[in-house]
Amino acid sequence: MIGFIKDPSGVAALYLGKKEGKDLVYMGNVGTGWSRTTSAQIRKALDIVVSPKQRLTKTIRKPKATWVEPEFYADIEYRDITSEGLLRASSFKGLSKGTGRS
């Protein structure tokens, strides 16, 4: 996970990335699949790893984003991947802590 959009009580959406070799590339976002309680828990975890800048190899413009260090993995269910490499019809299933770096 590379960032999120703030919601008053948690998160409105999560920005996703994946490692491709040494690169960290944008994979799209997810904005569904959690309860209010889970949203608040995600926000609490991500607030600890907020970064002043995005960590993607190729920067993207997301004015509402709060960027984070890529230390968490999001378990995401999705229907397809677009030709641009973005997840289609994605839904959040869980969050786990990992190194996020290699």
Side-chain angles (χ1 to χ4, degrees):
M1 186 156 5
I2 57 170
F4 64 98
I5 297 175
K6 293 178 182 179
D7 175 274
S9 62
V11 295
L14 301 173
Y15 288 114
L16 308 170
K18 75 171 184 174
K19 291 290 276 183
E20 287 185 352
K22 293 188 179 207
D23 294 335
L24 181 59
V25 299
Y26 180 65
M27 289 289 296
N29 66 54
V30 62
T32 187
W34 52 72
S35 65
R36 284 187 189 185
T37 301
T38 302
S39 175
Q41 291 169 343
I42 294 168
R43 173 74 177 273
K44 185 176 179 181
L46 294 180
D47 278 345
I48 296 169
V49 295
V50 168
S51 173
K53 63 180 184 171
Q54 60 181 278
R55 299 295 182 192
L56 294 167
T57 303
K58 182 179 175 186
T59 60
I60 60 170
R61 181 166 154 68
K62 298 291 180 189
K64 294 181 181 180
T66 298
W67 302 110
V68 298
E69 295 294 337
E71 295 182 11
F72 286 93
Y73 294 98
D75 183 14
I76 305 295
E77 182 177 285
Y78 58 93
R79 299 249 184 227
D80 201 1
I81 298 178
T82 69
S83 59
E84 294 84 25
L86 304 177
L87 300 181
R88 181 176 298 179
S90 57
S91 179
F92 177 82
K93 298 299 175 192
L95 185 70
S96 62
K97 181 115 170 120
T99 62
R101 301 175 187 157
S102 50

